Structure formats: structure tokens, C-alpha cells
Amino acid sequence: MTIPPAVRIQAAAVRALYALPEGLRRAIAGKSVVRDGQRLAPDAQVMLKLQRLSGVALVMPGGVGASRAAMEHSRHLVGGPTDRTVAARSVGIPQEHGESAATLYTPDGLAAGSGLLVLLHGGGWVIGSRASHDHVARFLARRAGVRVLSVEYRLAPEHPFPAAAEDAVAAFDYACAKAADLGADPERIAVGGDSAGGNLAAVVAQQAVRRGGPAPAFQLLLYPATDASTRRPSRGLFADGFLLTSADMDWFADRYAPAPADRTDPRLSPLLAEDLTGLPPAYIGTAGFDPLRDEGEAYARALKEAGVEVRLSRQSDLIHGYVNYLGLGGRFREAAAEAAEALRQAIGG
């Protein structure tokens, strides 16, 4: 994909800003932001300041189309240069409705029979794509030493709940059935995602275990949405000013699961599943300044209580979406590297 010159200039300016000495970046960030006993990282403060100045948000005034376009545009500014040491090829996943597109990422020199991550992108089930998360897929593949199958599931409002969940389950089934063709070890297939993608990954793990047969070896859940039926304290504490807002969450949910959808359905609210026993080990990463923080951490507690091996890691100084800002380095890259290392330890070489 050709990046417009104006976008290249904007991206270069952002990189130059984040290349400044730490003291200067702190000065640009301004007065420290402290909330709920947490101090926001200067890297995150600068990013939020840039976001406010640019007028770009997760939900744009132009609605679904404008919001999707803004996310695709933003990846060029904050995702960083494309890692060419990771090869990519297109894959078609058969579905009842036709075919879902996917991209298989393979790090240079990775032998056949590696672990594989089925990656489900974030974006509130409404925005986002394989393209918006290309840099995330490449980073995880290289740092964890695994193949990554990044899936293009159907989006709402054109395809409301449970379409995305159905596509996610079918993608996992495809990865298991075609593991040899994908160069993967069928015993080391993980599922993961960020935000809405983390929600879908949790749903896949539950559905696979409950029906019997192949199940994920590991879950990589990054600031996942786990309960659409209620509002926890973090929803109010970080309702506005930290990228994802409470109003955004309502907007996404109303498009993915409009009435009369049952928002207590475990395929939408995996935290509410009656039985969490027997699920695969999980790494759950949450962000301190995120309205989704409390429900992600509640899911970690529920899994532990059910006897599931869980590592919960709160990035207390960061905001929702932190793995998308790899090109900004600093704390964003550190947090993403921790998640990649958890994946490497679980299914890597």
C-alpha cells in the first residue's frame, strides 16, 4: 500500500517528537496526570495531546465510515515502519457465509512446525482490520518466534452479534485443521487479540473447550472487553480523556449488539459464562487508565478461581490500545514486548 506524502510527513514529525530527550518529552507532556493512585506515563500524555490537537478519535463525527478511515490513517502515524523480516501472505478461510480473508505472518528463518497465534484485531467489533494491526502481528511474530494468522472477521453494524464471534471460532478451527499447510504445530495454536479482539479470543477459548476437540494452547488477552452487561468503577474513573471513552463504548456496543441482543450472552460477555474450568492458560494485559480495566481484571480473577493458570499484568501508567503505538517506542513498546514474551514462553520455539 502506498502511503500518501502528507501522511509520511506527519509520521516523521511524530517520530521526531518521540526521539527527543526524555526531559523534553516530559516538558511537552505537561503536569503529571494522577488518578486512582496511578501516574500516567509521559509517553501516553504526549500521545493524548497529539490526539486532541489532530482531532482524530476512535469514534469520528462522520460515523462508521469516518471512524474506520481514521483508524487506518492513524496506524501510519503510530505503528512504526513495516518489519520486512516477517513475510506475509494472504489466506482464505472458508465460512458458511463465503470466505474470510486472513494474513499469515512468518518470521524469516522460522522452521516449519512452529507455534501459531490466531490474532483477532481490536476496534469495538466495528472498526479495525488486518491492515490496522499489521505492525502488531509482525511484532508478535518476530518477538515471540511464532507464526501469526491475522483474521478479517465480519464487522458491525453490517454484521451484528454474533457474526464476529462465529467468524473467530471458524478461523481457529481452520488453523487447527490446516496446521500443516500453515507451517504450524497443531498442539501449539494460541488465540489472542486486543480489546474487542481480546473479547473474541476469550469467546473462542470457551467455545472450543466446551464443545470438545481441539482447543487453544494459550490465550493472549490484551485489555479485553469481557462484560457488556454492567459498568464497573473504571468505566467512570476514565470515562473521558484517555482515548477510549465511555461514550465510545456505548457507540460500539449499540452497533455490535443492538436490542434485542442479550448482553449477558457469554459469546458477548465471556465473564458471565457459567463454567470457566478447563480453559487454557492466559496472559491478560490491562491498562491503568482504561475504562475496560476492571472487567479485564475481573475476568482474570474469575479464571484463577476456576483453576485456570493466569498471569495478570496491569500496565498502570498506560492507556487503552497500547500495543498499537509500537512506533512511538518507550513504554508502549515495553508493554507490548512483555506480552510477546508471554506468548513466546507459551508456544514459541
Side-chain angles (χ1 to χ4, degrees):
M1 177 181 179
T2 302
I3 303 174
V7 176
R8 289 181 183 275
I9 293 171
Q10 290 175 327
V14 171
R15 288 196 300 272
L17 174 61
Y18 274 84
L20 292 172
E22 182 179 355
L24 281 177
R25 294 203 310 277
R26 286 184 177 275
I28 292 170
K31 183 181 178 180
S32 291
V33 175
V34 178
R35 190 169 299 182
D36 199 29
Q38 306 168 130
R39 188 178 302 275
L40 187 63
D43 287 341
Q45 277 189 249
V46 172
M47 201 286 296
L48 291 171
K49 183 170 286 190
L50 290 174
Q51 180 218 354
R52 289 191 291 270
L53 290 172
S54 69
V56 175
L58 288 177
V59 177
M60 297 293 288
V64 171
S67 300
R68 288 174 180 168
M71 190 167 194
E72 300 300 328
H73 172 84
S74 295
R75 75 182 178 98
H76 297 300
L77 304 183
V78 298
T82 300
D83 184 351
R84 299 298 180 186
T85 69
V86 178
R89 69 175 176 89
S90 296
V91 175
I93 299 176
Q95 302 267 17
E96 288 187 5
H97 58 79
E99 187 175 85
S100 291
T103 300
L104 178 66
Y105 294 89
T106 305
D108 288 353
L110 185 64
S114 72
L116 180 141
L117 172 69
V118 177
L119 180 65
L120 302 157
H121 67 79
W125 310 279
V126 177
I127 63 177
S129 66
R130 289 174 297 154
S132 70
H133 283 61
D134 175 80
H135 56 296
V136 177
R138 290 176 187 271
F139 181 86
L140 292 173
R142 182 172 58 80
R143 293 293 291 258
V146 301
R147 286 170 167 80
V148 173
L149 185 67
S150 183
V151 180
E152 200 83 74
Y153 55 85
R154 287 173 293 172
L155 297 177
E158 297 91 336
H159 305 284
F161 171 78
E166 292 171 349
D167 288 359
V169 172
F172 173 74
D173 289 345
Y174 173 85
C176 293
K178 299 294 184 181
D181 295 342
L182 298 172
D185 177 353
E187 300 299 318
R188 288 190 290 150
I189 297 178
V191 64
D194 64 309
S195 193
N199 166 274
L200 296 173
V203 170
V204 169
Q206 290 187 9
Q207 296 277 304
V209 168
R210 294 296 158 247
R211 72 185 179 192
F218 183 69
Q219 306 175 73
L220 184 72
L221 310 180
L222 303 176
Y223 34 89
T226 66
D227 185 0
S229 71
T230 190
R231 298 175 181 232
R232 288 175 168 77
S234 62
R235 179 80 178 257
L237 282 168
F238 311 106
D240 195 21
F242 301 100
L243 186 70
L244 177 67
T245 69
S246 180
D248 290 344
M249 291 174 65
D250 285 336
W251 188 88
F252 287 128
D254 288 345
R255 277 145 191 81
Y256 181 50
D262 178 6
R263 294 192 179 180
T264 67
D265 189 320
R267 293 173 299 169
L268 178 60
S269 298
L271 175 59
L272 304 184
E274 291 184 2
D275 184 5
L276 297 175
T277 60
L279 293 178
Y283 171 95
I284 298 181
T286 61
F289 290 77
D290 182 356
L292 279 172
R293 183 193 71 189
D294 289 355
E295 61 189 80
E297 295 181 0
Y299 193 55
R301 290 193 297 273
L303 289 177
K304 286 183 180 179
E305 291 169 1
V308 178
E309 180 184 342
V310 181
R311 178 184 174 191
L312 171 63
S313 179
R314 180 194 290 188
Q315 306 296 323
S316 62
D317 58 346
L318 292 182
I319 59 173
H320 185 85
Y322 58 75
V323 296
N324 290 102
Y325 310 125
L326 290 167
L328 306 182
R331 280 292 296 122
F332 298 118
R333 202 170 185 88
E334 288 174 5
E338 181 186 288
E341 177 60 18
L343 180 64
R344 187 194 68 78
Q345 292 180 11
I347 66 164

